[in-house]
Amino acid sequence: MDLETVKSKLHAMNFRLTQEREWVLRVFMESGEMFTAMQLYDRVKEQYNKVGLTTVYRLFEVLTKLRLVTPFLIDGEIYYTFCSGGHHHHFVCLDCHRVKNIYGCEMDTRDFSEIGKIEYHRMDLFGHCENCQGSVPSC
Amino acid sequence: MDLETVKSKLHAMNFRLTQEREWVLRVFMESGEMFTAMQLYDRVKEQYNKVGLTTVYRLFEVLTKLRLVTPFLIDGEIYYTFCSGGHHHHFVCLDCHRVKNIYGCEMDTRDFSEIGKIEYHRMDLFGHCENCQGSVPSC
DNA sequence: GCCTTATAGAAAAACATTTTCTATAAGCGT
DNA sequence: ACGCTTATAGAAAATGTTTTTCTATAAGGC
Ligand SMILES: [Mn+2]
Ligand SMILES: [Mn+2]
Ligand SMILES: [Zn+2]
Ligand SMILES: [Zn+2]
């Protein structure tokens, strides 16, 4: 998904795409990583300008409403990754926190009717990506 | 898993089973629910005696080391559920927060070698349990 | 351009979690 | 059963994170 599409989705819910949100979104969407609020704040500061940490928190909140982020709890910390498109699952590198989407869901074929009425599900794989499998963790 | 087994696991790691931990563990293990630290603290207070909130936090920490809890992030809150035994997945009722274990994993049959080296995975279903499907949410 | 109002960001407040400190009791050895 | 060692309880303080408040600003519609 590109920034223009996000802009449309923002406008559809009466949110605005400010200069600051654009900076944060660029870093966030292009990274392929997941971030805590503080980590994304730091990264934006490096690549663009300083923005308020509050702005990052508020963007996560807005993107949550637009269902454009997925939160992960890792070691007690909340990480967010940009997520768009149809149903998919995730592989998360425990070293570099890069995220890969996994398509093709086998859950739909199973019957869980006696367990309860399923609203949604998540499937997350954790491990080490190719870049991080060398003797020296590179990323 | 029963309390005696947990006691053994505690002792194996040089932890102690105190009276307070036993109270908390009884509520936690027998509930089939997941709790935030504060929720479990309140529940123990109702059913047994008042214990320190710190004690609950420390028990979650200890049980994490023993791999006897699984954390869930729901609406920005961290919930823990007692988890023992072999590999399994979960169904979580969004209404009453009861948790059901799901056995039989289809992930092992799939090949993710080109994605990365998988350490572990999680699969969680969210929805409404039988008790909570009536017009009046009962639990 | 003008107007309305959502948003930025600093500061404060609220909240969750961890640490510190001293008294206590769990578990072990005798 | 008794005594010893040390992990733990719990209150209080500290820490770290997230939210709220407030005023100036700028996004977006007309
Ligand atoms: Mn995704
Ligand atoms: Mn379980
Ligand atoms: Zn990696
Ligand atoms: Zn239920």
Side-chain angles (χ1 to χ4, degrees):
Chain A
M1 183 179 288
D2 64 347
L3 212 137
E4 278 306 306
T5 311
V6 176
K7 187 173 183 175
S8 306
K9 287 179 183 286
L10 283 167
H11 287 175
M13 297 267 280
N14 206 30
F15 296 123
R16 294 177 184 176
L17 180 58
T18 63
Q19 178 60 87
E20 291 79 4
R21 282 186 179 171
E22 191 179 316
W23 289 332
V24 180
L25 272 168
R26 279 191 194 286
V27 176
F28 191 41
M29 292 170 68
E30 289 168 7
S31 69
E33 293 169 58
M34 54 186 200
F35 300 92
T36 63
M38 183 60 84
Q39 286 172 349
L40 185 52
Y41 165 80
D42 285 333
R43 188 71 70 87
V44 173
K45 206 163 42 175
E46 284 173 11
Q47 295 187 20
Y48 290 88
N49 289 290
K50 186 178 180 297
V51 296
L53 181 55
T54 314
T55 299
V56 177
Y57 275 107
R58 278 193 283 234
L59 184 61
F60 279 158
E61 189 184 18
V62 166
L63 293 179
T64 297
K65 283 179 182 148
L66 298 177
R67 301 189 169 282
L68 287 178
V69 292
T70 301
F72 285 83
L73 181 65
I74 297 180
D75 289 328
E77 299 232 80
I78 303 177
Y79 291 81
Y80 293 89
T81 193
F82 187 80
C83 258
S84 66
H87 177 63
H88 62 273
H89 300 219
H90 295 103
F91 168 82
V92 178
C93 178
L94 295 167
D95 302 311
C96 68
H97 291 166
R98 269 195 268 260
V99 181
K100 290 181 188 172
N101 291 341
I102 298 172
Y103 296 92
C105 178
E106 317 214 335
M107 279 305 120
D108 304 328
T109 64
R110 291 181 66 175
D111 176 31
F112 295 108
S113 55
E114 80 277 18
I115 290 175
K117 185 169 172 291
I118 312 295
E119 290 287 341
Y120 63 97
H121 71 266
R122 282 187 63 165
M123 224 280 295
D124 304 310
L125 312 176
F126 298 88
H128 308 280
C129 74
E130 291 101 339
N131 287 328
C132 297
Q133 283 183 39
S135 52
V136 182
S138 61
C139 56
Chain B
M1 185 177 289
D2 64 347
L3 212 138
E4 278 305 306
T5 311
V6 176
K7 186 173 181 175
S8 307
K9 287 179 183 288
L10 285 167
H11 287 175
M13 297 267 281
N14 206 30
F15 296 124
R16 293 178 185 177
L17 180 58
T18 64
Q19 179 61 85
E20 291 81 3
R21 281 185 179 170
E22 191 180 316
W23 289 332
V24 180
L25 273 168
R26 278 191 195 286
V27 176
F28 190 42
M29 293 170 68
E30 290 168 8
S31 70
E33 295 169 56
M34 55 185 200
F35 299 92
T36 64
M38 183 60 85
Q39 286 172 348
L40 185 53
Y41 166 79
D42 285 333
R43 188 71 70 86
V44 172
K45 207 163 40 176
E46 285 174 11
Q47 296 188 19
Y48 289 89
N49 289 288
K50 185 178 180 297
V51 296
L53 180 56
T54 314
T55 298
V56 177
Y57 275 108
R58 277 193 282 234
L59 184 61
F60 280 158
E61 190 184 18
V62 166
L63 293 178
T64 299
K65 283 179 181 149
L66 299 177
R67 301 189 168 283
L68 288 178
V69 291
T70 300
F72 286 84
L73 181 64
I74 298 179
D75 289 329
E77 299 232 80
I78 303 176
Y79 291 82
Y80 293 89
T81 193
F82 187 80
C83 258
S84 64
H87 177 63
H88 61 274
H89 301 278
H90 295 104
F91 168 81
V92 178
C93 178
L94 295 166
D95 302 311
C96 67
H97 291 166
R98 269 194 267 260
V99 180
K100 289 181 189 170
N101 291 340
I102 298 173
Y103 296 92
C105 178
E106 317 213 335
M107 280 305 121
D108 305 327
T109 64
R110 290 180 67 175
D111 176 32
F112 295 108
S113 55
E114 79 276 18
I115 290 175
K117 185 170 172 291
I118 311 295
E119 289 288 342
Y120 63 97
H121 70 266
R122 282 186 62 163
M123 225 278 296
D124 305 308
L125 312 176
F126 299 88
H128 309 279
C129 75
E130 292 101 340
N131 286 329
C132 297
Q133 285 184 40
S135 52
V136 181
S138 60
C139 55

